[in-house]
Amino acid sequence: MDEPAIDYDERYLAGIVLFNRGDFFEAHEVWEDLWQDSARPEKRFYQGLIQAAVALCHYANGNLRGAAKLYASSRAYMEPLALSYLGMDTHAFWRDMAQCFAPVLAADRPDRHAIRLEDVPLPAIALDPAPATWPDADAFLKPDD
């Protein structure tokens, strides 16, 4: 039996496209607009995604303490949610995030020169069911992004 289609918000999908191509700051910006228009429990879910994207921004910029703090808070936002939420396998997402952040979280004093985002596998978001079409993510970016 086929899964019922989910009517995904295009901003959610655009953020996923941006996130999966490594444009974490831009994904955070698009999801933030969606977060402002949301109510619980979606609001907590989007907050978790936003903070996960910002954690990866900090990681990329060498702010490893900030990355670790946002990793923890983003995970806390999403922990109470079901294993699958808005088509996203949250368990798989956090497994991938944990693998990505393992070098940061394992170090007492992470060295920004020794621990770099480009040296670890990046998490990606997949949806099940997949949307019928994906939006042009760049159309959701503001001119100053």
Side-chain angles (χ1 to χ4, degrees):
M1 183 173 199
D2 288 338
E3 291 270 333
I6 297 177
D7 187 20
Y8 297 114
D9 188 295
E10 288 208 338
R11 295 170 292 179
Y12 175 50
L13 298 177
I16 290 171
V17 170
L18 293 164
F19 185 93
N20 286 348
R21 73 181 190 202
D23 294 333
F24 303 117
F25 180 80
E26 291 80 2
H28 133 272
E29 289 283 306
V30 171
W31 285 331
E32 196 166 75
D33 285 342
L34 178 55
W35 170 78
Q36 291 174 352
D37 294 339
S38 299
R40 286 186 168 218
E42 286 86 9
K43 194 168 194 93
R44 290 186 67 82
F45 175 73
Y46 296 132
Q47 185 70 36
L49 286 176
I50 291 163
Q51 288 192 356
V54 175
L56 287 159
C57 286
H58 284 313
Y59 197 159
N61 293 329
N63 177 3
L64 302 182
R65 285 182 188 230
K69 286 180 184 179
L70 279 168
Y71 169 87
S73 64
S74 63
R75 190 167 191 154
Y77 272 109
M78 294 177 90
E79 275 180 354
L81 302 174
L83 292 179
S84 177
Y85 196 84
L86 288 178
M88 184 176 128
D89 181 341
T90 58
H91 176 74
F93 177 74
W94 286 106
R95 181 195 61 228
D96 294 349
M97 285 286 286
Q99 183 179 7
C100 177
F101 276 80
V104 173
L105 301 174
D108 288 334
R109 293 176 169 245
D111 178 353
R112 66 183 289 168
H113 301 291
I115 301 172
R116 301 174 323 152
L117 184 62
E118 55 267 9
D119 296 335
V120 296
L122 295 177
I125 299 170
L127 297 181
D128 185 20
T133 60
W134 289 88
D136 173 11
D138 294 327
F140 290 83
L141 299 177
K142 295 175 183 158
D144 60 339
D145 288 349

